[in-house]
Amino acid sequence: EIISTKHMRDDGSKGSFQRTRGHRLVDTSLDMYGSTLSKLLYKANVPIPRASGSSADRDGRVATAPLRRYIDGVAQRQALSALLNYGGPSMTPKECTTANRITNNAINRNNMLRSTKMKGPNKAEGSRTNKLQILENHLSTRHNSKSNLIVPALSTGRENEVVISGSGIVAKCSGVKGLLKGGERVLVEIIQLDVKKGILQLRLVNNSLEK
């Protein structure tokens, strides 16, 4: 069952995610940068350090956020070495794989630590509970069941997180092959919604909603 978005807002009202022309401009610029750099490194016949799920067949970005993602800094170092002969020899395919594995392990440990910290009562948890209550109320006025419903969402571009349209609730989406691009409009299925426990489980249905 698909929920209509006719009465749902996605303009930043009440904490919901707001996507503007500025977001689209930044996304396009980063896509162009990553695509161009990938082609240059491919032409130079050197391997490209990539995060898991950002393979070329998914138009994954390359080296666009070195201050936020370690693997992007490694990719920029590879570009400097291969294209400008700066900073020493280029990395081998094995070294790129090792860098990717180390990065993924660090990300997983960080996510586990964040999850542990969020289990205690705090303002962030209270805010999320309030948003989950708003979503539950919205669904209850239109449907008898709050699970196995299909709703529209927008990818944040961060580790397959999506924002439920009109609610401002951010949650990770399962069932994704690779990574969702930032700003990608998708349909997700609500597997479980439990306000008291602060649980919202989502599964990707499709990502073919772009106009």
Side-chain angles (χ1 to χ4, degrees):
E1 187 175 6
I2 299 179
I3 295 180
S4 170
T5 59
K6 181 177 180 181
H7 302 293
M8 300 176 70
R9 302 181 64 169
D10 193 22
D11 58 359
S13 175
K14 297 182 179 179
S16 66
F17 182 74
Q18 182 178 9
R19 181 169 170 80
T20 65
R21 292 177 61 187
H23 287 90
R24 292 192 290 272
L25 177 62
V26 172
D27 280 343
T28 301
S29 300
L30 292 175
D31 286 341
M32 290 177 61
Y33 172 85
S35 176
T36 302
L37 188 63
S38 295
K39 291 177 180 177
L40 289 173
L41 291 176
Y42 179 79
K43 187 175 181 180
N45 196 30
V46 296
I48 304 174
R50 289 180 179 271
S52 295
S54 62
S55 56
D57 60 341
R58 286 191 57 81
D59 296 325
R61 291 176 180 170
V62 176
T64 55
L67 298 180
R68 186 162 58 90
R69 292 192 298 262
Y70 171 77
I71 197 68
D72 282 7
V74 176
Q76 288 195 356
R77 186 266 181 197
Q78 182 80 325
L80 289 172
S81 175
L83 305 178
L84 300 176
N85 195 27
Y86 177 85
S90 301
M91 299 173 66
T92 65
K94 183 177 181 180
E95 289 173 334
C96 289
T97 300
T98 299
N100 181 36
R101 185 179 68 252
I102 293 174
T103 301
N104 288 336
N105 290 340
I107 290 175
N108 291 336
R109 286 195 298 268
N110 182 63
N111 288 340
M112 290 178 62
L113 178 61
R114 183 189 308 169
S115 176
T116 300
K117 289 182 177 179
M118 287 297 292
K119 287 182 179 179
N122 53 47
K123 291 184 179 180
E125 184 176 346
S127 176
R128 178 175 175 79
T129 300
N130 291 338
K131 289 182 178 180
L132 286 176
Q133 186 66 63
I134 292 174
L135 177 62
E136 182 181 57
N137 293 341
H138 175 81
L139 298 178
S140 298
T141 59
R142 293 167 174 78
H143 308 275
N144 294 327
S145 173
K146 298 182 288 297
S147 62
N148 300 113
L149 294 175
I150 298 175
V151 298
L154 193 68
S155 169
T156 66
R158 178 182 174 84
E159 302 174 6
N160 289 333
E161 286 182 342
V162 298
V163 182
I164 303 297
S165 298
S167 71
I169 297 177
V170 180
K172 281 193 175 183
C173 184
S174 64
V176 182
K177 295 181 179 180
L179 293 174
L180 294 172
K181 294 177 61 177
E184 192 171 356
R185 296 184 180 278
V186 299
L187 285 178
V188 297
E189 181 181 4
I190 297 178
I191 304 299
Q192 182 181 8
L193 173 58
D194 190 320
V195 176
K196 292 183 179 180
K197 295 182 179 180
I199 297 176
L200 175 60
Q201 295 182 350
L202 306 175
R203 181 181 65 84
L204 180 69
V205 176
N206 69 57
N207 56 344
S208 60
L209 300 184
E210 294 292 347
K211 295 181 179 180

